[in-house]
């Protein structure tokens, strides 16, 4: 079995090769950082002397991180290593005795020229849960090398091995003070922004809603790139059910001295289709189907501003535990260091959750909210589509290695699953040469978020306290004290769902018998948020299949 890595090498911005004992060769594609500090580093050959191929791969996963790739060549075989939460997407296909690899979401011309059967097992599962993370894709024979995993080729066989779940399972809770945690998180957020923008100089834009997450990213970028006007992109909606956010965005833009660009969220949005004609062919259907036209406008605006990169705050809600207060109650009280502190925490939770103290106590005793969330992530209480005529085989885990994480507290599971799901929030736009990166999808930062005390995330009645305090001195008060944010047009009013259903009834999914006409009509007649999102997911898969069928 031969491993063809030409597609990876051609995509690299920078290559560095390290020779170990004259027999082992490690090629580093792009910049790497230390897995703990997030600071730039280099591979140390001495760490790999006398080690086997599996040991080399494990050491690379343990010591290094960043948007990079490693290619390892040894006498016993080869491996491609994608570090934890690397945003460099890697796909491969097996043809005869060769494994062809490439980087990036878009299918290369050679793969496009081939006819691939649809992977209906994967697609059915995806319709039920758009966040299902698996090496399988919608095309038979094409797989993704997931982050935190390695593709190992040895003795004529190959396998993909996940290392990330094991690394998370071994993490121990930190005992540092809140003040030290604040300083650490500021450094790590800045390190992530520096890493992701390093190769672009000032040619990048920040997608900023005026919410806490994107504002923190903008402040970190402004501090790192002083003296340069920061390109800020805001998509607004006057029909937002939660209000127009431009007031908050303007406060942030004034604080950082940025150059703001406004995009009306619904300017190009159709109510009868998803605008999938804007997408390039990819191995997976687009998870963010409802945002395609808005993302295209933002990337066009970035391109017009001279940017080659758009940086977002996606994943911040999950990393910093923006979740139901009652779900956190049991863990927060368990960390209380005195009866008085426990009573204060109990009262604060009741106030924030707008519930009685007895309601909070009942949750602490029963753990019902947390138990339901755990079943959603680990058990049999998983989403099922309201419109499919077949049930998917969810014997597979929702994220690789999930079963090894059952011992973790619920909030850690929420963080890890949420950040893994954020990896799938990707859009490959046709004819727009702008990349997108997520500042919070950065392993050293995620690791710190997982190990820090829960009471530091939720401190003195303030949620996302570490994120707020890390940039408190520069964060405008209107954003620092902000408790929520807008969410675009109400989903029930977003589309003419009858038109989406008609489109699905003309699709290959329908012809294959995977979709029930009666359930489709029932979803329209009893439209809810669940059925609206289910119809959009269904339409996204149908559009993706049509794109491939048309060639």
């Amino acid at each position: 079995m031969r491993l063809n890595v030409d597609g990876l090498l051609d995509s690299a911005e920078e290559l560095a090769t390290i020779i170990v004992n004259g027999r082992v060769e490690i090629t580093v594609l792009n910049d790497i950082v230390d897995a703990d500090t997030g600071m730039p580093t280099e591979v140390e050959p001495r760490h790999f002397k006398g080690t086997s191929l599996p040991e080399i791969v494990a050491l690379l996963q343990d010591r290094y991180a960043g948007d990079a790739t490693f290619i390892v060549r040894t006498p016993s075989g080869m491996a491609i290593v994608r570090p934890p939460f690397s945003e460099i997407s890697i796909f491969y296909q097996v043809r005869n005795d060769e494994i062809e690899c490439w980087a990036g979401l878009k299918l290369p011309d050679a793969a496009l020229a081939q006819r691939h059967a649809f992977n209906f097992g994967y697609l059915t599962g995806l319709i039920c849960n758009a966040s299902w993370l698996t090496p399988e894709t919608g095309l038979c024979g094409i797989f993704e090398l997931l982050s935190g995993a390695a593709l190992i080729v040895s003795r004529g066989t190959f396998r993909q091995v996940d290392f990330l779940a094991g690394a998370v399972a071994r993490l121990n809770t930190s005992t540092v003070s809140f003040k030290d945690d604040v300083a650490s998180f500021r450094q790590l957020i800045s390190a992530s922004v520096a890493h992701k923008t390093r190769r672009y100089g000032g040619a990048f834009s920040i997608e900023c809603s005026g919410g806490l997450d994107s504002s923190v990213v903008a402040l970190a970028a402004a501090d790192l790139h002083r003296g340069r006007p920061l390109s800020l992109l805001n998509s607004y909606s006057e029909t937002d059910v939660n209000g127009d956010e431009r007031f908050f965005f303007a406060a942030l833009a004034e604080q950082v001295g940025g150059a703001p660009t406004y995009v009306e969220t619904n300017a190009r949005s159709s109510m009868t289709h998803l605008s999938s004609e804007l997408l390039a062919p990819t191995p997976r259907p687009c998870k963010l189907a409802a945002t395609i036209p808005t993302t295209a406008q933002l990337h066009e605006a970035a391109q017009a501003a001279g940017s080659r990169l758009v940086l977002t705050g996606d994943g911040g809600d999950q990393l910093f535990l923006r979740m139901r207060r009652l779900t956190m109650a049991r863990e927060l009280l368990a960390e209380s260091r005195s009866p008085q502190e426990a009573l204060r925490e109990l009262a604060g939770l009741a106030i924030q959750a707008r519930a009685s103290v007895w309601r909070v106590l009942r949750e602490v005793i029963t753990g019902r909210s947390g138990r339901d969330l755990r079943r959603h992530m680990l058990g049999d209480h998983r989403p099922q589509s309201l419109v499919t005529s077949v049930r998917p085989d969810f014997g597979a885990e929702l994220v690789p290695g999930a079963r090894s994480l059952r011992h973790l507290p619920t909030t850690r599971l929420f963080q890890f699953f949420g950040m893994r799901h954020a990896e799938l929030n990707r859009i490959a736009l046709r004819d727009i040469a702008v990349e997108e990166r997520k500042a919070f999808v950065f392993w050293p930062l995620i690791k710190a978020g997982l190990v820090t005390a829960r009471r530091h995330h939720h401190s003195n009645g303030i949620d996302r306290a570490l994120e707020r305090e890390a940039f408190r001195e520069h964060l405008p008060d209107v954003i620092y004290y902000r408790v929520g944010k807008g969410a675009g047009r109400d989903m029930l009013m977003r589309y003419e769902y009858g038109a989406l259903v008609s489109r699905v009834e003309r699709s290959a999914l329908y012809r294959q018998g995977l979709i029930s006409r009666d359930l489709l009509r029932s979803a329209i007649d009893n439209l809810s948020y669940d059925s609206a999102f289910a119809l959009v997911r269904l339409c996204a898969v149908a559009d993706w299949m049509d794109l491939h069928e048309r060639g």
Side-chain angles (χ1 to χ4, degrees):
M1 185 68 68
R2 177 175 176 269
L3 187 58
N4 183 348
V5 296
D6 291 346
L8 292 181
L9 296 173
D10 291 344
S11 69
E13 296 286 339
E14 181 177 325
L15 294 172
T17 299
I18 296 92
I19 306 297
V20 182
N21 289 342
R23 304 184 66 197
V24 174
E25 182 178 292
I26 302 174
T27 301
V28 186
L29 285 66
N30 302 324
D31 300 320
I32 56 173
V33 299
D34 183 272
D36 293 318
T37 68
M39 300 304 291
T41 190
E42 296 179 350
V43 171
E44 288 283 350
R46 59 187 174 87
H47 296 311
F48 303 96
K49 291 182 178 180
T51 54
S52 65
L53 177 59
E55 290 170 333
I56 292 170
V57 170
L59 282 168
L60 290 171
Q61 291 281 12
D62 182 60
R63 289 180 174 272
Y64 306 106
D67 297 336
T69 309
F70 299 99
I71 299 173
V72 182
R73 295 177 174 87
T74 72
S76 63
M78 284 184 66
I80 301 173
V81 182
R82 184 176 168 190
F85 292 97
S86 167
E87 291 198 79
I88 303 297
S89 302
I90 299 174
F91 293 90
Y92 60 94
Q93 67 173 341
V94 182
R95 297 181 63 198
N96 301 321
D97 291 330
E98 183 174 81
I99 303 173
E100 300 176 61
C101 305
W102 66 88
L105 290 178
K106 298 178 182 179
L107 280 167
D109 292 340
L112 276 175
Q114 303 159 20
R115 300 297 295 180
H116 292 274
F118 292 125
N119 183 349
F120 285 107
Y122 168 78
L123 294 174
T124 304
L126 187 71
I127 290 169
C128 294
N129 191 330
S131 296
W132 184 25
L133 187 68
T134 169
E136 291 189 62
T137 70
L139 299 174
C140 291
I142 294 183
F143 304 89
E144 181 170 5
L145 175 57
L146 301 178
S147 81
L151 180 63
I152 301 175
V153 181
S154 180
R155 297 183 176 87
T157 64
F158 70 94
R159 66 191 189 279
Q160 182 171 159
V161 182
D162 175 73
F163 291 83
L164 185 49
V168 171
R170 294 189 296 271
L171 293 176
N172 296 313
T173 302
S174 169
T175 58
V176 304
S177 68
F178 178 74
K179 181 179 179 182
D180 288 342
D181 258 345
V182 168
S184 174
F185 273 85
R186 175 163 184 145
Q187 182 270 319
L188 288 169
I189 292 170
S190 296
S192 175
V193 173
H195 171 69
K196 291 175 185 290
T197 62
R198 184 173 293 117
R199 295 198 171 277
Y200 299 90
F204 68 93
S205 297
I206 309 289
E207 188 179 314
C208 187
S209 64
L212 179 61
D213 299 327
S214 56
S215 296
V216 162
V217 174
L219 288 169
D223 185 53
L224 289 166
H225 297 270
R226 295 179 185 179
R228 297 175 180 173
L230 191 63
S231 171
L232 299 175
L233 309 176
N234 176 258
S235 61
Y236 69 93
S237 172
E238 294 179 348
T239 61
D240 184 348
V241 292
N242 292 313
D244 192 332
E245 294 189 285
R246 282 175 289 182
F247 167 75
F248 300 98
F249 173 73
L252 188 278
E254 182 179 1
Q255 176 67 32
V256 302
T261 299
Y262 293 89
V263 168
E264 209 289 314
T265 300
N266 303 310
R268 294 191 201 166
S269 299
S270 168
M271 294 189 69
T272 60
H273 60 82
L274 304 181
S275 303
S276 57
E277 71 279 0
L278 299 173
L279 297 178
T282 57
R284 299 183 189 272
C286 179
K287 181 187 174 188
L288 304 177
T291 69
I292 294 169
T294 303
T295 301
Q297 289 182 87
L298 288 166
H299 285 206
E300 287 171 359
Q303 197 164 252
S307 297
R308 295 183 289 119
L309 171 76
V310 171
L311 195 61
T312 79
D314 193 9
D317 286 348
Q318 292 74 31
L319 179 60
F320 294 105
L321 289 176
R322 188 169 185 259
M323 63 189 300
R324 288 188 64 206
R325 303 290 189 276
L326 293 183
T327 306
M328 302 175 63
R330 181 177 273 191
E331 292 178 48
L332 287 170
L333 262 68
E335 286 188 354
S336 299
R337 292 161 292 185
S338 68
Q340 293 83 358
E341 187 174 299
L343 285 173
R344 283 197 302 271
E345 196 68 67
L346 190 65
L349 285 166
I351 292 169
Q352 287 195 317
R354 298 181 180 181
S356 68
V357 170
W358 304 115
R359 171 72 181 86
V360 179
L361 273 175
R362 185 173 67 182
E363 176 59 40
V364 171
I365 294 169
T366 65
R368 178 178 177 181
S369 178
R371 186 171 62 250
D372 288 345
L373 182 57
R374 294 180 72 88
R375 288 181 63 200
H376 175 81
M377 293 184 286
L378 298 171
D380 57 2
H381 190 57
R382 298 175 182 175
Q384 299 294 330
S385 175
L386 302 175
V387 293
T388 55
S389 57
V390 296
R391 293 174 64 87
D393 178 12
F394 263 147
E397 301 160 307
L398 292 184
V399 302
R403 294 187 185 93
S404 67
L405 304 176
R406 290 179 180 274
H407 66 287
L408 293 184
T410 302
T411 56
R412 275 201 193 180
L413 289 174
F414 174 84
Q415 288 174 298
F416 180 62
F417 275 68
M419 298 310 294
R420 296 244 63 179
H421 296 165
E423 292 185 76
L424 292 172
N425 293 346
R426 310 172 291 192
I427 292 184
L429 294 166
R430 191 188 299 270
D431 302 326
I432 300 179
V434 173
E435 296 183 73
E436 184 173 297
R437 294 284 183 270
K438 307 172 188 70
F440 296 118
V441 179
F442 186 62
W443 176 228
L445 177 59
I446 294 169
K447 190 191 302 186
L450 287 166
V451 302
T452 196
R454 308 293 89 177
R455 66 179 183 274
H456 291 179
H457 282 292
H458 189 281
S459 178
N460 294 323
I462 300 174
D463 71 337
R464 295 185 286 173
L466 288 168
E467 187 182 17
R468 295 179 196 272
E469 291 300 323
F471 290 86
R472 177 66 184 99
E473 60 188 292
H474 300 298
L475 201 61
D477 283 349
V478 294
I479 297 175
Y480 177 84
Y481 291 106
R482 194 176 181 192
V483 295
K485 62 181 180 179
R489 189 191 301 175
D490 188 328
M491 197 63 183
L492 295 181
M493 307 297 293
R494 176 68 178 80
Y495 296 103
E496 293 177 8
Y497 288 95
L500 296 190
V501 166
S502 296
R503 186 263 168 278
V504 168
E505 289 177 337
R506 300 190 302 271
S507 70
L509 278 175
Y510 190 79
R511 294 193 299 273
Q512 289 286 332
L514 300 177
I515 308 301
S516 165
R517 187 177 189 279
D518 291 341
L519 291 176
L520 277 178
R521 294 301 168 182
S522 176
I524 292 292
D525 294 340
N526 304 283
L527 192 64
S528 64
Y529 286 103
D530 286 342
S531 60
F533 280 109
L535 289 170
V536 170
R537 283 199 302 271
L538 191 61
C539 200
V541 173
D543 286 349
W544 175 85
M545 292 175 70
D546 279 359
L547 183 62
H548 281 279
E549 285 187 324
R550 291 194 304 267

